[in-house]
């Protein structure tokens, strides 16, 4: 049994190394730099070893996305539980996460994925991130459908990230846009 346990730990460590290395490459050089050949060279394992853990780059990107959702849930939860306006802190935390982890954010939201959202097969990390965002929105939802309101808030935040990164919003107005968004959700109208 000890040999099986050790083998499982080694497999888990190799899998984590592949994910971490792919994430580092994506963040420093972009997703085009993340290939099985490049990963194989970086981690000093053959490509067949990579394929024992992942069927291809899409599955590696999905694993990075799942890690990202777990991290986003933690970031939002920490921001929401602080002092002051929980929704504003949550919104800032979301935008900061996207800014600080652009390749992970891409894996989570813009790359093609096999991950299922809002489905019974949704990975728990995705559900946890939405739940943390919903807790913040729920504080201001009143009689409104908190799930739908959370989806709209999430879509607005994602729009700010995506349009901002693409240079499609006026520079220098990030704080004003975020304040306006939060005020729209907290005004009670």
């Amino acid at each position: 049994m000890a040999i099986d346990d050790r083998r499982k730990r080694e497999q888990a460590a190799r899998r984590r190394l592949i994910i971490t290395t792919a994430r580092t490459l994506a963040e420093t050089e972009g997703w085009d730099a993340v290939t099985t050949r490049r990963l194989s060279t970086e981690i000093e394992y053959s490509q067949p070893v990579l394929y024992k853990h992942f069927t291809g780059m899409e599955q590696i990107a999905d694993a990075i996305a799942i890690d990202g959702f777990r991290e986003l849930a933690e970031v939002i939860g920490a921001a929401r539980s602080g002092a002051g306006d929980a929704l504003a802190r949550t919104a800032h935390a979301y935008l900061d996460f996207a800014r600080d982890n652009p390749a992970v954010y891409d894996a989570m939201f813009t790359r093609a994925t096999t991950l299922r959202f809002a489905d019974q097969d949704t990975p728990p990390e995705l559900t946890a991130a939405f739940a943390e965002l919903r807790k913040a929105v729920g504080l201001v939802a009143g009689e409104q459908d908190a799930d739908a309101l959370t989806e709209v808030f999430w879509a607005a935040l994602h729009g700010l990230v995506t349009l901002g990164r693409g240079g499609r919003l006026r520079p220098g107005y990030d704080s004003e846009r975020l304040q306006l968004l939060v005020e729209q959700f907290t005004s009670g109208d």
Side-chain angles (χ1 to χ4, degrees):
M1 198 56 135
I3 292 173
D4 285 342
D5 290 343
R6 186 189 80 217
R7 188 172 291 132
K8 287 179 184 175
R9 283 192 311 273
E10 289 171 352
Q11 287 174 342
R14 269 196 307 273
R15 180 179 169 82
R16 176 56 35 206
L17 177 62
I18 293 165
I19 294 168
T20 301
T21 303
R23 179 177 178 163
T24 301
L25 282 172
E27 290 292 5
T28 58
E29 300 179 35
W31 278 104
D32 289 342
V34 185
T35 64
T36 54
R37 178 171 291 177
R38 178 75 185 275
L39 283 173
S40 172
T41 300
E42 293 289 328
I43 65 173
E44 299 177 345
Y45 283 106
S46 67
Q47 286 182 335
V49 170
L50 291 174
Y51 288 117
K52 285 182 182 178
H53 296 280
F54 299 98
T55 58
M57 288 308 307
E58 295 79 17
Q59 197 179 30
I60 293 171
D62 285 354
I64 291 169
I66 288 171
D67 281 356
F69 280 107
R70 181 186 40 74
E71 293 167 17
L72 181 60
E74 292 169 2
V75 164
I76 291 172
R80 183 183 39 77
S81 64
D85 183 351
L87 193 61
R89 283 192 322 278
T90 297
H92 280 284
Y94 185 99
L95 295 181
D96 290 346
F97 177 87
R99 181 198 62 230
D100 295 343
N101 304 282
V104 173
Y105 192 85
D106 286 345
M108 294 165 67
F109 295 114
T110 61
R111 290 180 55 90
T113 184
T114 61
L115 299 175
R116 309 223 3 138
F117 291 77
D119 189 76
Q120 57 183 306
D121 294 337
T122 300
E125 295 85 355
L126 281 65
T127 303
F130 184 81
E132 288 298 334
L133 193 57
R134 187 187 185 286
K135 288 175 187 174
V137 173
L139 296 172
V140 299
E143 298 296 317
Q144 298 178 74
D145 177 351
D147 286 340
L149 198 60
T150 301
E151 290 170 342
V152 170
F153 190 65
W154 178 18
L157 290 171
H158 178 68
L160 290 174
V161 169
T162 304
L163 293 171
R165 283 171 59 182
R168 289 170 174 83
L169 296 175
R170 295 175 297 153
Y173 290 90
D174 295 343
S175 294
E176 290 84 353
R177 281 189 289 270
L178 193 58
Q179 180 179 351
L180 180 60
L181 173 63
V182 170
E183 286 174 0
Q184 292 301 308
F185 279 80
T186 58
S187 67
D189 292 340

